[in-house]
Amino acid sequence: MVRNALVAMIAAAAVGIYVGGAQAVAPQSGATLVGTIKSSPFDMTVTINVGGSGAISSLSYLCGTGRAPTNVYNLPVDSTGHFSYESKLKDWKLVGHFVTPTTAFVSMNSIACGGSKGSTTLHLK
């Protein structure tokens, strides 16, 4: 009987942790988040600006040095805090989610940047 009660308590705690971890995180309006993906052959610096509506008003990534940044505007953030973008030429893709209102985890794969790929956490600028 004690064993059954212990199993039930552990199961309830596991469900509580799972549900607590699955909560949506909305980005902070007006925040600018920056981070660098350390990759080869080029590092990629990602900058996200959050607009007043909670969408990403602009996203840019810089491939190495000496190249102009690539910019994307008005990127939606879904109700769970996730976002993604794939270029029209399908030569780079970024997916991410907000971990807190002022941090976001992003993963990127860019054929356009010499095949660079990787992930990082963006923080307030």
Side-chain angles (χ1 to χ4, degrees):
M1 178 116 167
V2 172
R3 181 175 179 215
N4 289 343
L6 182 60
V7 169
M9 287 176 26
I10 291 172
V15 169
I17 290 168
Y18 175 77
V19 171
Q23 293 176 343
V25 176
Q28 178 179 307
S29 178
T32 298
L33 310 178
V34 180
T36 301
I37 297 170
K38 302 289 186 186
S39 60
S40 178
F42 304 107
D43 289 349
M44 298 179 290
T45 300
V46 179
T47 303
I48 290 177
N49 293 300
V50 180
S53 67
I56 295 172
S57 59
S58 67
L59 178 148
S60 68
Y61 93 90
L62 182 62
C63 171
T65 59
R67 299 180 187 196
T70 301
N71 298 303
V72 176
Y73 301 97
N74 301 318
L75 189 64
V77 177
D78 72 16
S79 62
T80 65
H82 289 81
F83 53 91
S84 65
Y85 181 81
E86 184 171 21
S87 70
K88 291 178 185 175
L89 297 175
K90 300 191 182 302
D91 59 350
W92 70 275
K93 181 175 185 172
L94 178 136
V95 295
H97 66 277
F98 284 89
V99 179
T100 70
T102 58
T103 60
F105 180 81
V106 296
S107 180
M108 187 170 184
N109 188 350
S110 179
I111 296 168
C113 188
S116 295
K117 59 185 172 181
S119 57
T120 193
T121 301
L122 308 180
H123 297 278
L124 277 176
K125 183 175 180 179

